[in-house]
Amino acid sequence: MPRISSFYGITILMFFGDHNPPHVHARYAGQAARVALDGTILDGEIPRRAVRLVREWISLHQAELEICWERAVNHEPPVPLSHSLRGCSVIDVTKVEVVEERTVRLTFSDGSERVVDLRPLMWGSVFEEIARDDDLFAQVRVDPEIGTIT
């Protein structure tokens, strides 16, 4: 898996055999951008807040990212980095089950489970449709590539 970090809902990926300039792929809220290791957005688009966080993360991990880039261009797997701006390790969501209106039971890669009411998190235009459509909400699934629900 090319994921090298996740924080604040942002997933950072680096692909084997990728091309110059050295960069990462940042995914957030269904959007994606390629971000050079100097923080320049090469293409794509993610929200400004996410761009700021990605740039800060890149600056904190510059030396590690350069090593990861060398590994990636040599078709070696990148090494997962410190997964958070706060130094917390990543725990992926491995299973999701709808238990009632806008509430899910999540199972995590460390074996723990948690029931989460998503209603307080579903604000803004991006969530309007799923917040009111039960059938759409029932389609929630785990994205194994990024270890979260979609």
Side-chain angles (χ1 to χ4, degrees), residues 109-120:
S109 57
D110 68 353
S112 64
E113 285 189 4
R114 185 169 180 195
V115 174
V116 180
D117 180 356
L118 297 174
R119 287 176 290 200

Side-chain angles (χ1 to χ4, degrees), residues 29-95:
Q31 295 179 295
R34 282 188 320 128
V35 184
L37 298 189
D38 67 3
T40 303
I41 302 296
L42 299 171
D43 57 49
E45 187 174 320
I46 56 176
R48 284 186 304 228
R49 184 175 128 254
V51 169
R52 285 192 304 269
L53 289 169
V54 169
R55 286 177 173 153
E56 181 180 350
W57 183 86
I58 287 172
S59 72
L60 291 171
H61 297 282
Q62 191 70 43
E64 294 164 290
L65 286 167
E66 290 170 8
I67 292 167
C68 280
W69 181 258
E70 288 303 314
R71 292 178 59 86
V73 297
N74 291 316
H75 298 274
E76 299 174 34
V79 178
L81 304 183
S82 186
H83 296 292
S84 166
L85 293 175
R86 295 172 292 176
C88 300
S89 62
V90 163
I91 299 174
D92 289 337
V93 176
T94 58
K95 183 178 175 186

Side-chain angles (χ1 to χ4, degrees), residues 96-98 104 118 130 135-142 149-150:
V96 61
E97 172 189 355
V98 176
V104 294
L118 297 174
I130 198 167
D135 292 332
L136 184 59
F137 185 80
Q139 295 176 32
V140 65
R141 63 177 179 81
V142 173
I149 60 173
T150 59

